[in-house]
Amino acid sequence: MKTAIVIAAVLAAACCGNVLKAENVTVNTPGTSLVLGADKGKKLKHLYYGTRLTDADVRGLKAAGAANVNAYPDYGVDPEREAAIAAVHADGNMTLDLVVDGVSSSKSGDASVTTVKLRDSHYPFFVNVNYRTYPGLDIIETWTDISHSENRPVTLTRFASGYLPVRYGNVWLSNLYGSWGNEARLDCQPIAHGMKVIKNRDGVRNSATAHSEVMLSLDGRPRENGGRVIGAALCYDGNYRLAVDTDAGNWHHLIAGIDEDQSEYHLKPGETFTTPVLALSYSGEGLGGVSRNFHRWGRERRMAHGDQLRDVLLNSWEGVYFDIKEPEMDQMMADIAAMGGELFVMDDGWFGVKYPRDNATQGLGDWIVDTRKLPGGIKGLTEAARRHGVKFGIWIEPEMVNTRSELFEKHPEYVIKAQHRQPTYGRGKTQMVLDMANPAVQDLVFTVVDTLLTNYPDISYIKWDANMPIRNHGSQYLSADDQSHLYIDYHRGFHKTLDRIRAKYPDVIMQACASGGGRANYGFLPWFDEFWTSDNTDALQRVYIQWGTSYFYPAIAMASHISAAPNHQTHRTMNLKYRTDVAMSGRLGMEIQPQKMTEAERSQCHKAIEDYKLIRPVVQQGDLYRLLSPYDGLGAASLMYVSPDKDRAAFFWWKTEAFRNKQYPRVPMAGLDPEKTYRVQELNRVDKVPLKFEGRSYSGRYLMENGLEMPVNLTVDNPDEWSSRVLMLTAE
Ligand code: DGJ
């Protein structure tokens, strides 16, 4: 069924020239419906969100017990509930009374947008509540536009992107928490009475701790491939707040938006405040169904170049850290080319003249090549990359500055810092955040990127890092009255700068990185192609980190690199096969000094990269089925990707616990066509003898109802406790 928006009664009334008198508004996607009660002059009511309804269902909704609660609750007249919007009018009145003024629908490309116009019953204060859908996708994006024509600014104290009531019951909340090196850990519990708040106030790195996405499982304990689930992702790059409030009534109330704490906004007459998008999805196919909906939408509509396969790269960071030198860079390019990789990325350490970037204490802001380290400059490197037949990428951290830099010496007024306070430093005890609210800083950041890409058009990839939170809340640019705009205006300035970059350089691939996985949010992805998932490259811990991240983000967005053993973050030694088998389940790369690997290890990686290329389209563009969760403590984890036509699949299995004589479950597959027959082939094979089922064929039905028995150990000369498997399935 095609995506459609049905505004019952509205269109008929409008075409007859009658006064608009809206009734039900139904926003449909192929498999879901959102129904609102939009009677003119009355409160906008949320009636329903869930599986797609028939016309008869819609007509009978109220009788069946629809939600019938305010769809964008306002603070004031009826103030005991959590509000989605609150404002102080120019005359000091703290209440809002928003009622429906009209409904319209429009097209934006092939997307359909329904807008319910609300206005205050007394004040010239207006809110447009928008819903956008796309053909073939079970995602509804909602956001609001807030404006007024009062005679002085109105102070917005709450401005959520959206509100969603969920029927009280055995509803479970799944969300992601974490910290540096341990991002995207899964938390999951039944929703209790009271309020659960998920928030981030870092200012810069908004997924370094919590994530701004939640899953709500409506049928009790979350299941991967069954049960009704609602997913909600706040698509924002700054501070956020998602609250699930459960009172004594029949509804859990989900409210999501920018975190308003210390961010009250003074809205001028005639100005429009647009909230970030809250993306909603519903599926009857469990958590996995919602994930697949988000992944498809992410690739097709929300991230840069979501339809293009990503290159296999080598990043220099864990290989050489700050010790950038031309011969080493050249060698690394030769090495990644020899292993079949396609891109080399030079990380931190390449810049700074007066203050060379030899460590984290200096240089940020001075994006001039350090010719002591790189006598041939960037040009020398891009030429070398050409010679080696790989593309070239470069690391920058343009929103930041060290006080030990020429930039800071010239422009101390560019940093974020409260007046009358001592500066607060970040990394290297000299790092500070530039004030992106300041247009001069926006120009500066644009110019950093523009200069690099203009001077060196061979740069095809940028790793854009950001390693410090906003501290010492104060803008040297904003007026005294508007200091509370800092967090919001920082991100507006960031967007403007990225818009300029993307307008001029639409094709460059950009990675969002922020002290590891601090920028894994759909708020970044319109401009960025991927994110660095975590600085923790330990393969075992990555199984957990990538599992959580996959709740909302497709594999193509998740940079996942093979690194050294022992691992630099956890000091754990994992065999190379396990490390490659984990990295291959995301956007494969390497983060290692190839010169410290043996010839045999390099050739194993070469084989892994060649094998990855066989499954790259399935991993990066296919549908994800999570099969066995590492969080279930059953000793192993497993997932698979299936191509949309179900002709190819890639199956991953990793041991997560290693105990002598431990029992491991056998894992039934998912997502295949039961009627098709699949040939099974192991990738990254290191065993001396092939798996018993190597080269054999099985029906999709058998594989999904029984699965294949994974030997729990590798048959190699010096086995360690860790084993893993990657299988490629090809329909015959
Ligand atoms: C933090 C990032 O997460 C790392 O990957 C690396 O780029 C360093 N910054 C460089 O300083």
Side-chain angles (χ1 to χ4, degrees):
M1 255 185 290
K2 291 186 98 180
T3 299
I5 291 176
V6 184
I7 307 172
V10 172
L11 297 178
C15 73
C16 305
N18 294 346
V19 176
L20 202 66
K21 182 184 176 301
E23 291 172 358
N24 283 350
V25 174
T26 304
V27 179
N28 282 328
T29 69
T32 72
S33 297
L34 175 89
V35 188
L36 303 159
D39 290 329
K40 191 170 161 74
K42 300 212 173 126
K43 291 290 196 199
L44 177 65
K45 295 288 182 181
H46 174 99
L47 301 180
Y48 172 84
Y49 180 51
T51 196
R52 171 106 183 207
L53 302 180
T54 63
D55 292 347
D57 294 332
V58 175
R59 282 194 299 276
L61 259 188
K62 281 195 182 156
N68 211 20
V69 293
N70 289 350
Y72 194 62
D74 46 7
Y75 177 82
V77 176
D78 192 12
E80 73 277 14
R81 287 238 171 95
E82 279 291 310
I85 181 164
V88 183
H89 295 280
D91 65 2
N93 186 329
M94 291 183 66
T95 67
L96 284 169
D97 180 26
L98 298 172
V99 294
V100 174
D101 195 30
V103 182
S104 65
S105 70
S106 60
K107 280 277 185 190
S108 157
D110 62 349
S112 306
V113 181
T114 300
T115 300
V116 183
K117 296 185 165 74
L118 307 179
R119 61 167 297 145
D120 190 88
S121 59
H122 175 79
Y123 292 89
F125 183 94
F126 314 99
V127 178
N128 287 353
V129 185
N130 305 294
Y131 301 91
R132 181 163 51 215
T133 58
Y134 303 94
L137 295 174
D138 279 329
I139 295 278
I140 297 176
E141 299 175 1
T142 183
W143 74 98
T144 59
D145 302 303
I146 306 167
S147 62
H148 71 90
S149 54
E150 299 185 23
N151 52 15
R152 273 178 294 132
V154 168
T155 301
L156 302 179
T157 53
R158 183 156 285 188
F159 32 86
S161 293
Y163 160 76
L164 188 73
V166 174
R167 182 67 171 79
Y168 178 83
N170 189 9
V171 180
W172 285 56
L173 175 73
S174 305
N175 61 286
L176 304 175
Y177 70 98
S179 56
W180 179 85
N182 192 25
E183 294 91 340
R185 297 292 297 208
L186 182 60
D187 228 349
C188 172
Q189 69 273 115
I191 299 179
H193 286 94
M195 186 147 70
K196 163 97 178 174
V197 176
I198 297 164
K199 64 181 188 329
N200 180 284
R201 292 187 183 156
D202 185 282
V204 172
R205 308 164 305 175
N206 80 355
S207 60
T209 50
H211 267 232
S212 74
E213 303 105 18
V214 292
M215 295 268 192
L216 299 160
S217 298
L218 311 186
D219 300 311
R221 191 177 284 278
R223 281 181 289 143
E224 265 304 329
N225 293 314
R228 299 170 303 148
V229 177
I230 289 173
L234 183 77
C235 306
Y236 188 53
D237 45 333
N239 293 353
Y240 58 79
R241 176 181 182 274
L242 275 73
V244 183
D245 188 31
T246 303
D247 53 24
N250 267 346
W251 303 92
H252 305 283
H253 307 275
L254 170 69
I255 297 182
I258 293 176
D259 177 44
E260 299 96 348
D261 254 24
Q262 321 306 332
S263 286
E264 64 173 33
Y265 193 85
H266 309 123
L267 187 68
K268 294 197 274 296
E271 180 186 353
T272 299
F273 185 95
T274 299
T275 63
V277 160
L278 174 68
L280 300 170
S281 186
Y282 167 86
S283 172
E285 292 176 26
L287 300 167
V290 169
S291 294
R292 289 185 288 279
N293 289 345
F294 271 99
H295 295 177
R296 276 185 221 126
W297 164 81
R299 286 190 303 256
E300 288 181 27
R301 302 292 174 161
R302 191 70 201 181
M303 59 190 289
H305 311 119
D307 57 346
Q308 284 176 25
L309 296 184
R310 303 298 195 253
D311 290 325
V312 176
L313 63 84
L314 170 66
N315 177 292
S316 67
W317 181 242
E318 286 193 24
V320 298
Y321 291 102
F322 289 105
D323 201 9
I324 298 278
K325 285 189 205 120
E326 198 168 87
E328 274 79 354
M329 297 298 100
D330 193 76
Q331 181 66 55
M332 284 181 132
M333 289 189 239
D335 289 336
I336 188 61
M339 286 187 281
E342 297 142 329
L343 166 68
F344 172 71
V345 181
M346 178 174 64
D347 210 283
D348 200 350
W350 60 267
F351 51 91
V353 174
K354 182 170 172 192
Y355 297 102
R357 180 74 171 170
D358 295 336
N359 52 52
T361 65
Q362 60 184 35
L364 289 180
D366 300 347
W367 303 102
I368 311 151
V369 71
D370 179 351
T371 46
R372 283 178 322 148
K373 298 177 181 175
L374 300 168
I378 308 286
K379 185 131 198 335
L381 295 173
T382 56
E383 279 168 4
R386 264 183 193 267
R387 263 199 319 280
H388 293 299
V390 289
K391 297 179 193 163
F392 183 79
I394 197 163
W395 178 97
I396 50 174
E397 193 180 356
E399 296 153 80
M400 306 284 161
V401 68
N402 289 119
T403 49
R404 290 175 57 76
S405 69
E406 295 184 63
L407 175 66
F408 185 78
E409 285 172 353
K410 255 187 255 146
H411 290 294
E413 77 281 10
Y414 281 0
V415 299
I416 288 178
K417 181 194 156 310
Q419 58 174 331
H420 313 307
R421 301 283 169 222
Q422 287 305 312
T424 316
Y425 303 115
R427 195 180 183 209
K429 301 196 167 46
T430 55
Q431 185 159 336
M432 298 187 83
V433 183
L434 294 172
D435 185 355
M436 291 296 293
N438 182 341
V441 173
Q442 296 162 22
D443 280 345
L444 175 94
V445 172
F446 172 76
T447 306
V448 169
V449 178
D450 189 36
T451 307
L452 276 174
L453 294 182
T454 306
N455 290 348
Y456 311 108
D458 269 5
I459 294 179
S460 69
Y461 178 106
I462 285 181
K463 176 174 175 180
W464 182 308
D465 208 344
N467 289 302
M468 189 186 163
I470 288 182
R471 291 199 171 131
N472 210 329
H473 183 155
S475 170
Q476 303 188 70
Y477 168 76
L478 294 171
S479 68
D481 282 350
D482 285 343
Q483 288 294 310
S484 64
H485 292 196
L486 173 60
Y487 287 116
I488 291 167
D489 283 355
Y490 181 97
H491 289 278
R492 286 179 172 171
F494 185 59
H495 300 171
K496 278 190 204 155
T497 310
L498 288 164
D499 280 344
R500 284 172 72 189
I501 292 169
R502 277 306 185 190
K504 193 157 174 195
Y505 304 103
D507 297 330
V508 69
I509 302 296
M510 297 213 288
Q511 180 186 82
C513 173
S515 313
R519 284 189 160 176
N521 191 296
Y522 276 116
F524 294 95
L525 288 180
W527 301 279
F528 290 91
D529 299 75
E530 61 177 31
F531 47 76
W532 183 222
T533 318
S534 173
D535 273 344
N536 190 341
T537 55
D538 173 274
L540 179 59
Q541 204 164 341
R542 272 295 184 114
V543 169
Y544 292 80
I545 292 172
Q546 294 177 188
W547 190 271
T549 308
S550 80
Y551 268 42
F552 286 86
Y553 296 96
I556 192 172
M558 267 192 252
S560 175
H561 295 179
I562 301 165
S563 64
N567 180 267
H568 294 187
Q569 289 75 39
T570 61
H571 314 292
R572 184 178 5 233
T573 296
M574 311 283 296
N575 64 62
L576 183 56
K577 174 167 167 58
Y578 195 102
R579 285 180 274 143
T580 52
D581 284 4
V582 172
M584 278 172 70
S585 67
R587 195 282 281 131
L588 175 66
M590 298 184 75
E591 182 110 4
I592 194 166
Q593 170 52 283
Q595 288 299 304
K596 292 193 181 154
M597 299 164 77
T598 63
E599 191 49 48
E601 287 172 332
R602 281 204 293 271
S603 100
Q604 195 176 322
C605 284
H606 187 204
K607 173 79 171 57
I609 290 173
E610 290 310 310
D611 281 359
Y612 181 70
K613 288 176 186 168
L614 299 174
I615 53 169
R616 171 160 55 184
V618 186
V619 172
Q620 296 190 3
Q621 300 288 346
D623 288 325
L624 168 70
Y625 292 84
R626 287 180 298 258
L627 304 173
L628 180 63
S629 171
Y631 290 91
D632 286 349
L634 294 171
S638 179
L639 55 79
M640 66 191 290
Y641 299 97
V642 182
S643 63
D645 60 7
K646 298 194 183 293
D647 272 354
R648 289 172 85 83
F651 170 89
F652 293 85
W653 181 95
W654 310 281
K655 210 191 235 191
T656 53
E657 288 171 11
F659 299 108
R660 189 88 203 169
N661 282 335
K662 176 165 174 53
Q663 296 163 294
Y664 293 88
R666 179 158 157 164
V667 184
M669 298 187 183
L672 301 171
D673 182 339
E675 306 305 329
K676 286 186 176 160
T677 302
Y678 296 89
R679 185 164 179 271
V680 181
Q681 195 184 335
E682 189 185 9
L683 303 184
N684 284 354
R685 184 184 138 197
V686 294
D687 291 35
K688 287 194 278 191
V689 285
L691 296 173
K692 290 197 177 122
F693 46 74
E694 174 70 24
R696 290 184 180 274
S697 299
Y698 301 88
S699 68
R701 175 166 287 110
Y702 177 83
L703 293 170
M704 291 196 289
E705 290 184 17
N706 296 279
L708 299 168
E709 202 64 58
M710 293 301 121
V712 293
N713 293 311
L714 301 174
T715 54
V716 291
D717 282 338
N718 296 306
D720 63 11
E721 66 268 48
W722 299 111
S723 63
S724 54
R725 303 285 168 189
V726 183
L727 307 178
M728 178 169 76
L729 278 64
T730 314
E732 294 183 324

